[in-house]
Amino acid sequence: VFPNDFAQKRELYAVLDARNSTTAGVAAGYVNTIVASVNAHHGAAGPVTIVERLRWNENAVTRHTIVPSLILALSLIQVLLLAGFTVSREREEGFFDMMLMTSAHPWEIFVGKALPPIAIALFQSFLIFAVCRWWFGIPFAGDYLVMGGVLALFSLSIVGIALALSAMSSTIQTSVILAFFMVLPALVLSGLMTPIGAMPEWMQTVTLFNPTRYGMTAVRMVYFEGTGWRGVWPQMWPLIVTSFITIPAAMWLFRNINPALI
């Protein structure tokens, strides 16, 4: 940015998008090289100075990026582990098959298995949110109801996946392996540590099928930007679609899958 008084102050402003620190660093390096070349050519006739400003997270405080993202990341881990243990543990002990022989409908079994992990995940998310807001002092610009709705919908979309994996597992160890097999790619491809825009194009395409990406984006939009329901809707409908797919699939797997095959 060349300000209006550039001829007098000889100051050049560089505005960098700190969400992609690698690209921003490369761009800043190019600008510094060009300015250094100009200053070397003109000597003491009027050196140009650069004033850098980060467009996002202006103070470059790392915890502003990492800690709020843990609200969703820990919710993901909690739901996958708790919901993943429920069916496989009872199937290993022989109780789940007895439950299927009762008059309970699969959706009733699903509700009984899904609600406790979701409730525990939401409570844990509230604790992490409290740590972010009042321990680290990270300002919250959004609405508490919107934040709670985003976390609840995300947990609902994940619990269907977790219960489907648990239904396909004959032992607790199998469900643990499947849960961790899901957690690591989900977090890596969510933008938690690396911006999605900095990933290879093929990997960016893969993230479109990752519900954690949409939940992570929505949480950051609500927390930092104060975005309301209308603003986060593009991130919410993929979670709704995921819920409509995974929940019926989990209920069908309760009665029709042979866990001995997994």
Side-chain angles (χ1 to χ4, degrees):
V1 178
F2 291 88
N4 295 329
D5 57 352
F6 175 75
Q8 290 76 30
K9 293 186 177 181
R10 310 286 289 179
E11 288 185 350
L12 181 68
Y13 289 89
V15 185
L16 308 174
D17 189 350
R19 291 175 297 182
N20 192 339
S21 58
T22 302
T23 304
V26 172
Y30 287 150
V31 174
N32 286 321
T33 301
I34 295 172
V35 172
S37 177
V38 172
N39 289 336
H41 178 74
H42 292 281
V48 178
T49 59
I50 301 177
V51 179
E52 295 182 356
R53 180 175 181 180
L54 303 180
R55 185 178 179 182
W56 187 81
N57 192 8
E58 297 183 5
N59 296 323
V61 181
T62 306
R63 64 175 180 266
H64 285 192
T65 303
I66 302 300
V67 179
S69 301
L70 294 179
I71 298 174
L72 193 91
L74 295 181
S75 176
L76 167 69
I77 298 173
Q78 192 76 12
V79 171
L80 278 177
L81 291 180
L82 290 180
F85 289 164
T86 55
V87 179
S88 60
R89 181 182 60 186
E90 293 184 359
R91 193 186 296 276
E92 185 176 4
E93 297 175 353
F95 298 137
F96 190 76
D97 293 332
M98 298 176 60
M99 185 185 305
L100 294 178
M101 291 186 292
T102 65
S103 59
H105 194 273
W107 71 265
E108 295 176 320
I109 299 176
F110 177 86
V111 171
K113 300 298 183 183
L115 287 183
I118 292 177
I120 294 174
L122 290 178
F123 177 72
Q124 180 173 280
S125 299
F126 170 76
L127 295 180
I128 301 301
F129 174 84
V131 171
C132 295
R133 181 66 185 88
W134 291 288
W135 180 269
F136 289 99
I138 302 176
F140 178 65
D143 183 83
Y144 294 99
L145 184 60
V146 178
M147 177 64 78
V150 169
L151 294 173
L153 183 56
F154 173 75
S155 299
L156 183 63
S157 66
I158 296 299
V159 77
I161 300 175
L163 289 177
L165 295 177
S166 183
M168 293 187 297
S169 304
S170 57
T171 63
I172 296 178
Q173 288 79 6
T174 303
S175 62
V176 170
I177 293 174
L178 292 176
F180 278 103
F181 182 79
M182 289 287 299
V183 166
L184 294 180
L187 292 179
V188 170
L189 298 177
S190 67
L192 172 63
M193 302 298 295
T194 303
I196 296 177
M199 300 178 183
E201 292 187 4
W202 68 268
M203 192 174 292
Q204 295 183 36
T205 303
V206 174
T207 62
L208 296 176
F209 302 94
N210 180 19
T212 313
R213 165 187 174 165
Y214 304 103
M216 190 72 67
T217 303
V219 166
R220 288 174 172 174
M221 291 174 64
V222 175
Y223 197 103
F224 294 112
E225 303 174 12
T227 307
W229 289 114
R230 182 175 299 180
V232 298
W233 171 247
Q235 313 300 327
M236 292 293 96
W237 72 261
L239 299 180
I240 296 175
V241 171
T242 303
S243 300
F244 274 105
I245 295 175
T246 58
I247 291 176
M251 291 189 293
W252 183 86
L253 289 171
F254 284 166
R255 288 190 178 274
N256 296 276
I257 192 65
N258 182 7
L261 300 177
I262 307 300

